[in-house]
Amino acid sequence: MKKLLGILIILCSCSSGKEYNEPQFVEKEEIRGECLSDDLMISYAYDMAVDDQYIYILASSQGKWVHVYDKSDGQYRGSHVLTGQGPGEVHTASSLTVDKDKLQIYDQSQMKLLTYSLKKASDSLQISFMDDVSFSSNKGIVRRAWLFADSLYLSDGQLGAENKKQKRFQLYDGHSVIYSYDDFPVQGKDLEKVFLFPQICFSPSKDKMATGTLYGGILEIFHLSDSSISLSDVYRFYEPSVSFSSGDLIPEKDMKYGFSAMSATDDVIYSVLIGDSDPNKLNNISVFDWNGRGLIRYKTDKQIFKLSCYPGNPSELYALTFSPAEGFSLYLYRVKTNNGIQ
């Protein structure tokens, strides 16, 4: 499909049908970011989170996992959480969340969700280990897990009895699985592999979840409750043209890549949607509403590697950018809120 130029006023034509249609956006703009820090001493970042005061980067560097920067000026505020397998230590992190006075990390190799307290002062931050929840007593592999409500967890992986069927999401009460969602919006076992590690984001109210595939571009929107996970709709943007060989996904040469980063408010989903056969085309922030409508696509001045926003100020979007010459940097992008998009 030819690239559409200028401002588009056509609503997204994608639906839960099985055809693939490139997303269309109500608006398109160019946007420049404000550099907060270009001196990040990390080699790879797994996740990031933002609260009312700090930016938290999940990366293994100098024996620690959590690297903290001030939102206002980008100043480095310290590193926390030791690398290891002792109490409060993390061996192989895969996700990071911050909610009020708590920080949580999921350690994939230990199959533990670790919780830390956050104690903030005007010029300092203390992160202290509180407790952890282990998923290792259950058969299978849990790739990521999040606290969903009091003593209720949402997991991404093979929690429960092992079998040959690939599994997806489970609600877990600390003792047993109370609900599972294991459907895939594709046909064929090989294509199901593109959902092994999708981008996932949640609304701050935790009643909605969005997932997006990197191989091809398939956006799913779910409704969450304390007793169920239900699919609201599927939007198929780019077909996942892949094969599976020796444990690896192999994309076809002309396959377009999809989502490489996601974050959300209660109104919108912020994402990096590549839409190109070159997986390094990361110079965009693509905004959708929770009905899958493409609102605005920003062409950015930097490659966006990760992004996150604080629900209290949804117009400020924080991005971890990357370039071979500069490495990782922190940028602030001031974007339109949902009310600014007609």
Side-chain angles (χ1 to χ4, degrees):
M1 180 178 290
K2 294 182 179 180
K3 184 177 180 181
L4 300 176
L5 302 178
I7 296 177
L8 298 174
I9 56 174
I10 304 172
L11 301 186
C12 180
S13 62
C14 303
S15 69
S16 57
K18 294 186 178 180
E19 294 183 358
Y20 290 87
N21 298 284
E22 189 165 346
Q24 299 177 0
F25 293 87
V26 175
E27 296 184 34
K28 286 189 176 182
E29 290 187 9
E30 293 189 6
I31 189 172
R32 296 187 64 84
E34 172 189 344
C35 183
L36 299 177
S37 175
D38 58 1
D39 190 28
L40 275 64
M41 302 302 293
I42 58 176
S43 59
Y44 184 85
Y46 294 86
D47 206 352
M48 70 179 294
V50 176
D51 65 10
D52 60 335
Q53 193 171 346
Y54 297 109
I55 303 167
Y56 306 82
I57 305 296
L58 184 68
S60 180
S61 177
Q62 298 181 341
K64 295 183 179 179
W65 273 102
V66 179
H67 311 280
V68 184
Y69 297 82
D70 195 292
K71 277 175 55 175
S72 62
D73 56 14
Q75 289 295 310
Y76 171 68
R77 296 301 184 191
S79 295
H80 309 262
V81 183
L82 291 172
T83 300
Q85 299 184 62
E89 298 177 345
V90 171
H91 185 267
T92 309
S94 59
S95 66
L96 166 72
T97 57
V98 174
D99 187 5
K100 298 178 182 177
D101 60 349
K102 290 184 176 61
L103 179 147
Q104 292 187 318
I105 298 173
Y106 184 72
D107 186 333
Q108 186 175 9
S109 63
Q110 297 189 85
M111 289 181 62
K112 288 182 178 180
L113 181 64
L114 298 95
T115 300
Y116 306 82
S117 66
L118 299 175
K119 293 183 179 180
K120 304 176 189 177
S122 59
D123 58 352
S124 65
L125 173 68
Q126 182 179 348
I127 299 179
S128 302
F129 174 62
M130 295 175 63
D131 56 32
D132 60 53
V133 174
S134 176
F135 295 79
S136 61
S137 61
N138 295 271
K139 294 181 179 180
I141 297 172
V142 176
R143 293 178 289 272
R144 286 169 289 183
W146 304 267
L147 178 65
F148 178 65
D150 291 339
S151 302
L152 183 63
Y153 305 90
L154 175 68
S155 65
D156 166 27
Q158 305 295 110
L159 191 62
E162 287 184 291
N163 56 41
K164 294 182 179 180
K165 177 178 172 58
Q166 182 176 320
K167 294 185 178 182
R168 299 194 68 190
F169 302 112
Q170 301 86 32
L171 289 174
Y172 177 66
D173 65 4
H175 304 284
S176 60
V177 175
I178 63 173
Y179 192 89
S180 294
Y181 181 90
D182 295 321
D183 291 337
F184 296 87
V186 292
Q187 294 182 346
K189 295 295 184 182
D190 282 354
L191 289 183
E192 292 179 2
K193 303 297 183 184
V194 304
F195 296 90
L196 281 174
F197 214 102
Q199 293 299 314
I200 298 175
C201 65
F202 303 92
S203 63
S205 57
K206 296 184 179 179
D207 63 339
K208 298 185 290 286
M209 175 177 70
T211 73
T213 63
L214 174 64
Y215 292 90
I218 300 176
L219 173 66
E220 297 172 282
I221 295 176
F222 295 87
H223 176 74
L224 304 176
S225 73
D226 58 6
S227 60
S228 68
I229 305 166
S230 59
L231 180 69
S232 296
D233 218 331
V234 180
Y235 302 89
R236 296 172 172 84
F237 300 143
Y238 307 111
E239 186 173 2
S241 302
V242 298
S243 59
F244 192 72
S245 176
S246 302
D248 294 322
L249 279 171
I250 303 173
E252 295 184 5
K253 185 177 181 180
D254 59 349
M255 187 203 74
K256 290 186 176 182
Y257 289 86
F259 295 92
S260 63
M262 273 187 169
S263 183
T265 70
D266 282 327
D267 294 319
V268 299
I269 301 165
Y270 294 119
S271 70
V272 176
L273 177 61
I274 299 171
D276 195 276
S277 57
D278 180 357
N280 296 310
K281 293 291 182 68
L282 304 174
N283 292 73
N284 79 89
I285 298 171
S286 299
V287 188
F288 297 87
D289 66 17
W290 283 96
N291 294 314
R293 183 171 75 124
L295 299 178
I296 186 166
R297 182 173 170 93
Y298 294 101
K299 181 179 179 182
T300 60
D301 54 335
K302 297 292 181 179
Q303 288 185 315
I304 308 295
F305 188 75
K306 298 289 182 183
L307 50 80
S308 184
C309 63
Y310 171 58
N313 196 345
S315 65
E316 293 185 350
L317 191 58
Y318 295 84
L320 186 64
T321 68
F322 178 79
S323 71
E326 299 174 358
F328 286 106
S329 302
L330 278 175
Y331 272 74
L332 166 62
Y333 289 90
R334 301 184 188 277
V335 299
K336 294 181 180 179
T337 63
N338 190 43
N339 292 332
I341 302 172
Q342 303 298 320

